[in-house]
Amino acid sequence: MEKEAKIYVAGHRGMVGSAIVRELEKQGYHNIITRTHKELDLTNQAAVNDFFEAEKPEYVFLAAAKVGGIVANKEALADFMYENMILEMNVIHAAWKNGCQKLEFLGSSCIYPRMAPQPIREDSLLTSELEETNEAYALAKISGLKYCEYLNRQYGTDYISVMPTNLYGKNDNYHPTHSHVLPALIRRFHEAKETGATTVTCWGDGSPLREFLYVDDLANLCIFLMNHYSGNETVNAGTGKELTIKELTEIVAEVIGYTGNIEWDTSKPNGTPRKLLDVSKSAQLGWQYQTELKEGIQLAYEDFLTNPMRAER
């Protein structure tokens, strides 16, 4: 991408989109286009077409999505599938119709089969069944990346996709029930510390293995791939390192300064037992993550404390 190129970041107010905007500005890109949901409803096909016809962005980062944790996904299966599929199809199609040079689609590691061989390679996609608790979201994301692939194959476009592992960092969602595991733990332990609670109860049994990537590292990879990668197969984004949820809770408690007991509610679901991405592809391309987990959690906690709007939603 040329420094003066017109770049549209869809979903710039979200955790990933805002990180991409920060990284673009850091690297000297200055012609960045954004629209709030109020200004542009990405589920409105006519509005999206009008926007692309008027602005003609040369590059698009598609980071907009309806997201949530296990509870949100399980309670709103139809909403997660419909809204994500509609908005991504509208943006990708409008980009193609209006001659966008390159588009990058942001997905999620939940697209991979529940019992995929670990670490999960990009070519394990669609080889077996998905995790039931986020199947609807996964199917929508798979559709988006496949549409990019099919446009490349049929029309010769240069549309790519990147599949991040579990993300965390600045501008995360700390909702008490509709957030992902790490921000949910940050809020829970912070509130326990503030109220002097002697016990914090966490879901499941603490055994699932997870990998976490700091969102600013993802943003750096996204721009790296836009400049250095073309291909139909997606690219995994992660650290290649994993830990148990139990180990994660202990790190979060340490960072926040909570010294009480941690108990486990085994009546609640664990989710996928293990989810570690094979990141050899991004490594071969020449990219490496920078932020270690404990440092990233400290940065995320600072953001939680200094962004009351984020902490309350």
Side-chain angles (χ1 to χ4, degrees), residues 69-70 73-74 77 131-136 269 271-272:
I70 291 176
N73 274 276
K74 198 172 181 180
L77 295 168
E131 163 62 33
E132 184 181 359
T133 54
N134 54 27
E135 183 181 74
T272 305

Side-chain angles (χ1 to χ4, degrees), residues 84-95:
N84 282 296
M85 195 169 288
I86 290 295
L87 76 84
E88 68 198 23
M89 290 296 171
N90 283 346
V91 172
I92 297 167
H93 188 69

Side-chain angles (χ1 to χ4, degrees), residues 125-144:
L125 182 66
L126 296 176
T127 55
S128 60
E129 67 184 28
L130 299 165
E131 163 62 33
E132 184 181 359
T133 54
N134 54 27
E135 183 181 74
Y137 181 71
L139 287 170
K141 287 297 184 180
I142 291 169
S143 297

Side-chain angles (χ1 to χ4, degrees), residues 31-52:
N31 194 5
I32 304 167
I33 310 165
T34 59
R35 292 290 187 278
T36 64
H37 176 72
K38 187 176 180 180
E39 293 168 332
L40 176 61
D41 179 0
L42 295 180
T43 64
N44 184 323
Q45 187 178 50
V48 173
N49 287 336
D50 289 345
F51 166 76
F52 271 85

Side-chain angles (χ1 to χ4, degrees), residues 74-234:
K74 198 172 181 180
E75 291 178 350
L77 295 168
D79 293 346
F80 271 84
M81 187 169 192
Y82 177 80
E83 290 186 36
N84 282 296
M85 195 169 288
I86 290 295
L87 76 84
E88 68 198 23
M89 290 296 171
N90 283 346
V91 172
I92 297 167
H93 188 69
W96 167 66
K97 281 180 63 179
N98 288 277
C100 174
Q101 287 185 38
K102 193 164 187 174
L103 178 143
E104 182 174 282
F105 175 71
L106 275 293
S108 165
S109 59
C110 72
I111 65 166
Y112 293 119
R114 170 181 167 81
M115 301 304 290
Q118 306 281 331
I120 305 172
R121 291 163 46 96
E122 287 88 351
D123 60 10
S124 69
L125 182 66
L126 296 176
T127 55
S128 60
E129 67 184 28
L130 299 165
E131 163 62 33
E132 184 181 359
T133 54
N134 54 27
E135 183 181 74
Y137 181 71
L139 287 170
K141 287 297 184 180
I142 291 169
S143 297
L145 74 89
K146 281 295 181 181
Y147 186 45
C148 289
E149 175 189 336
Y150 297 153
L151 285 171
N152 291 345
R153 289 166 56 180
Q154 185 173 350
Y155 295 107
T157 52
D158 187 8
Y159 291 178
I160 63 174
S161 61
V162 56
M163 295 300 125
T165 188
N166 299 290
L167 300 171
Y168 69 101
K170 190 173 182 180
N171 287 339
D172 209 338
N173 172 18
Y174 297 97
H175 190 281
T177 57
H178 294 155
S179 58
H180 289 104
V181 59
L182 208 162
L185 289 173
I186 288 174
R187 177 170 183 148
R188 196 171 304 165
F189 281 108
H190 170 78
E191 291 178 346
K193 178 185 174 183
E194 291 292 293
T195 61
T198 57
T199 300
V200 168
T201 302
C202 299
W203 278 28
D205 62 13
S207 67
L209 289 159
R210 291 292 183 271
E211 172 187 23
F212 295 91
L213 179 66
Y214 189 62
V215 72
D216 287 60
D217 286 351
L218 171 66
N220 181 267
L221 173 61
C222 287
I223 295 162
F224 176 87
L225 292 175
M226 193 69 103
N227 284 318
H228 299 287
Y229 178 72
S230 294
N232 291 331
E233 190 176 70
T234 190

